[in-house]
Amino acid sequence: MAENEKAYEKVVERIKQLVVEGKLVPGSRLPTERSLAEELNVSRNSVREGLRVMQNMGILSSQQGSGNYIALNFDQKMTELLSFMYFLKGIEEEQVTEFRLIIEEAALRCAVKRATPEDKKELLVLLDRLDKARSEEERLKYDKKIHENIVLASHNDFLITNYNAFIRFMDKHIESMRERVVRGLEDNHKLEVTHREMVYGILQSDLRLSMHGLEGHFGYIEQYGSQG
């Protein structure tokens, strides 16, 4: 068993080495199972096991009849891991919200400095749609999109990938939380003002205004969004 584990780990390490060296990039086709087996002096079963491990990690995608390719399917895998961690460790909802604030605060700081004219235009469009939304379902949709686009405007790929995985995990959590916040506030106006401040802070490169909006938004979540 130990020898088999070492064999498939050699496959994983070899693929990682090729990625680090820039010889494999997203979309690249991997060497054949036979060539990997011969190069690493391992069995084809060990090669398949190594490839299967990397598929489960979201690094590879397999196309029948064509081969294995380098992929970027991390978000879904990370979401699954977060879900297991949340339930198995019994993590409290307040800790999830606290982590979300940490991510969004970092993203907002980057967005204020790095947002492009296209980023700003899209945020204005989303803010207008949020203001004109006629149902809570619509408001929730554009609320989420504003937060997501602020993260995209950070232009930090590592942060964006982690946020995408996290936000998928939180989808139902966010929806129920917004409902509780709106019920507590008795209207949407105060919550939408916080989004306006976040967006206009980015438009004006005004970190203080953006942070005021973010702190207000999470202040309402802390006050009204907790379960119970």
Side-chain angles (χ1 to χ4, degrees):
M1 178 66 72
E3 290 182 359
N4 286 338
E5 289 177 353
K6 278 191 174 182
Y8 88 75
E9 286 173 358
K10 285 172 68 174
V11 178
V12 175
E13 283 303 311
R14 178 54 180 154
I15 301 304
K16 180 180 178 181
Q17 181 184 6
L18 291 172
V19 170
V20 171
E21 292 173 354
K23 295 177 181 177
L24 290 176
V25 297
S28 293
R29 186 174 183 272
L30 266 65
T32 64
E33 291 180 4
R34 176 179 294 179
S35 64
L36 282 170
E38 291 174 354
E39 177 188 355
L40 300 172
N41 194 27
V42 298
S43 70
R44 291 185 68 173
N45 281 339
S46 295
V47 172
R48 292 189 191 103
E49 181 63 19
L51 297 179
R52 188 158 43 245
V53 168
M54 286 184 286
Q55 286 176 2
N56 290 337
M57 293 167 65
I59 297 168
L60 301 183
S61 65
S62 178
Q63 299 179 23
Q64 191 167 4
S66 177
N68 296 292
Y69 294 81
I70 296 293
L72 294 173
N73 300 324
F74 302 121
D75 293 2
Q76 184 60 42
K77 301 300 179 183
M78 291 172 65
T79 299
E80 291 169 4
L81 287 172
L82 287 171
S83 296
F84 274 109
M85 184 175 69
Y86 178 72
F87 291 108
L88 290 174
K89 296 195 72 165
I91 294 172
E92 295 179 354
E93 188 177 273
E94 289 77 9
Q95 293 178 333
V96 176
T97 302
E98 184 176 59
F99 183 65
R100 180 188 166 200
L101 173 58
I102 291 168
I103 294 177
E104 294 202 21
E105 182 176 341
L108 194 55
R109 289 182 182 277
C110 292
V112 168
K113 292 187 292 185
R114 301 175 184 167
T116 65
E118 291 76 18
D119 293 329
K120 295 176 180 181
K121 181 178 178 181
E122 181 63 19
L123 283 168
L124 272 177
V125 169
L126 293 172
L127 187 62
D128 183 61
R129 289 177 180 172
L130 178 63
D131 288 341
K132 294 177 179 177
R134 296 185 177 183
S135 67
E136 183 55 26
E137 183 179 3
E138 268 192 290
R139 281 187 285 271
L140 174 63
K141 175 183 175 181
Y142 293 116
D143 180 321
K144 288 168 61 177
K145 280 187 172 292
I146 286 172
H147 287 272
E148 290 168 9
N149 276 67
I150 288 173
V151 174
L152 289 174
S154 74
H155 295 279
N156 181 314
D157 289 338
F158 194 78
L159 193 157
I160 292 166
T161 298
N162 279 274
Y163 183 81
N164 286 342
F166 179 69
I167 215 66
R168 283 193 180 97
F169 157 70
M170 280 194 70
D171 265 348
K172 291 184 180 178
H173 168 77
I174 292 173
E175 186 171 0
S176 63
M177 177 175 289
R178 182 183 166 101
E179 289 171 357
R180 296 196 298 270
V181 172
V182 170
R183 264 200 317 271
L185 291 170
E186 297 182 351
D187 64 38
N188 298 296
H189 176 69
K190 291 180 180 178
L191 193 58
E192 311 321 350
V193 165
T194 65
H195 292 94
R196 183 170 293 278
E197 289 181 340
M198 283 188 279
V199 170
Y200 273 89
I202 292 173
L203 298 181
Q204 299 166 14
S205 299
D206 186 340
L207 180 61
R208 183 177 296 182
L209 178 60
S210 278
M211 284 299 171
H212 186 267
L214 187 68
E215 290 165 4
H217 185 279
F218 277 86
Y220 292 139
I221 290 175
E222 182 179 350
Q223 186 174 358
Y224 299 111
S226 60
Q227 296 276 18

